RNA sequence: CGGAUGCCGCGU
């Protein structure tokens, strides 16, 4: 069972619908076909792969539907911007826990329905850290930094995530000075904080400062590596991007797409194509990127040819 | 009890 859970999660992260379906079929012929954990993971996998219809089907057909399944299906609806379905399910579900409320809160924020989000938040009986952070993030993304700061001050607990959320909000809306002050005040920094920090330096045009923050990091995850690679790419330094890419010990689709981007922006479309071909797996974003790149450099025929080669058009 | 779904940073 746990093996299948891992496989489904992996397919979901990679948004690999074909692989997900394959595992689904394999599960159905196995002895775990009606496992109560697996059925929820199936719904989640379809949601993450962008297939709302199959997520819904998995939910409705599940013999093992429980109150967790409702949370999973709401999350699937929300991730795919089916907000009315999410709302409908939320109202119909037999039992709502902290996660149900917060998932719905995030859905409203994502839909741009800030008032509904606030309303939901106010009606919550118990607000945990994640609920507070979601409310904070909703204000921060909206650009309502006053409300964001107010929410931050009212929070019963400050975690690294709340600090990161607030700082990202300030950075996103051009308040770099405030962000710097907050960085100095926060008690601890994680990989995420450091990544936010060096991205901010880079966006301010100080790529050397960004690099030294990156090099000073004791732990770097794949996102940190990718962020540094795309920073050099945006800067036109495709050679430096390539060097970092080679140094990275963990790579995913985004790392490869960032490298392709770096070559494209550096005007080396042939090297970009080469990297694209060497990629172990392509998702729709990487295809879109290269097609757009060709179109923008005026190579419409190449762009069209790639489009025709697309295995999945969404 | 355990499993599972919700918050912050990377390419489109």
């Amino acid at each position: 069972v746990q093996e299948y859970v891992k496989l489904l999660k992996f397919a979901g992260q990679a948004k690999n619908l074909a692989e997900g379906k394959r595992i689904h079929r394999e599960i159905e012929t196995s002895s775990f076909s009606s496992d109560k954990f697996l059925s929820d993971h199936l719904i989640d996998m379809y949601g993450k792969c962008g297939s709302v219809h199959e997520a819904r089907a998995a939910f409705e057909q599940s013999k093992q539907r429980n109150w967790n399944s409702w949370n999973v299906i709401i999350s699937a609806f929300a991730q795919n911007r089916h907000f009315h379905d999410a709302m409908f399910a939320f109202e119909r579900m037999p039992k709502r826990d902290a996660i149900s409320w917060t998932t719905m809160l995030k859905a409203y924020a994502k839909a741009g329905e800030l008032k509904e989000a606030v309303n939901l938040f106010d009606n919550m009986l118990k607000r945990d850290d994640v609920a507070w952070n979601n409310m904070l993030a909703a204000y921060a993304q909206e650009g309502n930094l006053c409300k964001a700061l107010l929410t931050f001050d009212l929070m019963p607990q400050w975690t690294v995530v709340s600090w990161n959320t607030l700082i990202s909000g300030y950075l996103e809306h051009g308040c770099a000075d405030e962000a710097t002050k907050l960085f100095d005040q926060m008690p601890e920094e994680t990989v995420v904080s450091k990544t936010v920090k060096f991205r901010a330096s880079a966006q301010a045009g100080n790529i050397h400062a960004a690099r030294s923050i990156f090099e000073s990091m004791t732990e770097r995850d794949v996102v940190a590596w990718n962020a540094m690679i795309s920073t050099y790419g945006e800067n036109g330094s495709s050679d430096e991007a390539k060097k970092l890419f080679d140094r990275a010990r963990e790579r995913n689709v985004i790392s490869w797409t960032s490298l392709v981007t770096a070559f494209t922006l550096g005007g080396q479309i042939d090297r970009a194509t080469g990297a694209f071909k060497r990629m172990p797996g392509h998702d729709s974003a990487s295809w879109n990127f290269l097609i757009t790149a060709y179109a923008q450099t005026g190579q419409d025929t190449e762009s069209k040819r790639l489009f025709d080669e697309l295995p999945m058009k969404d």
Side-chain angles (χ1 to χ4, degrees), chain A residues 1-215:
Chain A
V1 176
Q2 279 160 8
E3 313 266 322
Y4 279 128
V5 170
K6 274 182 192 156
L7 287 170
L8 286 172
K9 280 194 159 185
F10 192 76
Q13 276 174 359
K15 300 187 184 195
N16 191 337
L17 185 58
E19 175 69 5
K21 282 182 176 173
R22 218 210 75 230
I23 300 161
H24 188 174
R25 281 192 300 272
E26 206 175 305
I27 290 170
E28 279 182 331
T29 55
S30 75
S31 50
F32 312 118
S33 59
S34 58
D35 186 90
K36 73 170 178 178
F37 298 158
L38 279 181
S39 57
D40 286 353
H41 279 286
L42 275 170
I43 303 167
D44 186 47
M45 180 276 293
Y46 281 123
K48 293 221 168 28
C49 289
S51 179
V52 177
H53 290 296
E54 276 148 314
R56 192 199 301 267
F59 174 77
E60 283 169 357
Q61 286 159 19
S62 172
K63 297 183 187 84
Q64 302 298 324
R65 196 189 307 164
N66 54 62
W67 57 274
N68 297 311
S69 316
W70 287 88
N71 283 341
V72 182
I73 193 69
I74 288 178
S75 174
F77 284 142
Q79 278 168 36
N80 293 286
R81 313 191 62 87
H82 286 229
F83 301 120
H84 292 290
D85 290 321
M87 213 163 49
F88 188 64
F90 180 75
E91 280 160 8
R92 281 189 53 211
M93 67 192 294
K95 180 181 156 191
R96 287 176 278 268
D97 64 2
I99 294 184
S100 329
W101 285 87
T102 309
T103 306
M104 204 53 225
L105 167 57
K106 185 175 165 61
Y108 278 129
K110 196 172 173 178
E113 304 274 2
L114 193 59
K115 278 187 188 134
E116 290 298 327
V118 174
N119 188 26
L120 204 74
F121 183 72
D122 288 341
N123 282 314
M124 284 178 72
L125 298 176
K126 292 203 172 185
R127 305 178 188 116
D128 65 5
D129 286 357
V130 181
W132 278 97
N133 285 334
N134 266 292
M135 196 62 252
L136 169 62
Y139 281 129
Q141 281 157 22
E142 191 80 7
N144 196 337
L145 298 176
C146 295
K147 286 279 194 181
L149 190 59
L150 190 66
T151 307
F152 184 78
D153 286 334
L154 289 172
M155 291 174 79
Q157 280 221 26
W158 289 337
T159 63
V160 193
V161 176
S162 29
W163 283 95
N164 289 343
T165 308
L166 184 65
I167 292 172
S168 301
Y170 275 108
L171 286 172
E172 183 69 26
H173 294 90
C175 310
D177 294 344
E178 278 299 320
T180 310
K181 277 183 208 158
L182 290 168
F183 267 128
D184 293 337
Q185 288 170 34
M186 68 187 290
E188 59 162 333
E189 292 183 351
T190 57
V191 197
V192 176
S193 325
K194 293 278 188 186
T195 308
V196 174
K197 208 178 201 171
F198 81 69
R199 272 254 112 184
S201 289
Q203 273 162 18
N206 202 341
I207 198 157
H208 295 293
R211 180 60 179 264
S212 45
I213 295 168
F214 177 78
E215 292 299 338

Side-chain angles (χ1 to χ4, degrees), chain A residues 284 288 291 304-314:
Chain A
S284 60
N288 287 342
I291 292 171
K304 179 75 169 60
R305 200 180 57 75
L306 270 176
F307 185 76
D308 292 335
E309 277 180 32
L310 255 179
M312 283 278 199
K313 297 184 175 67
D314 57 16

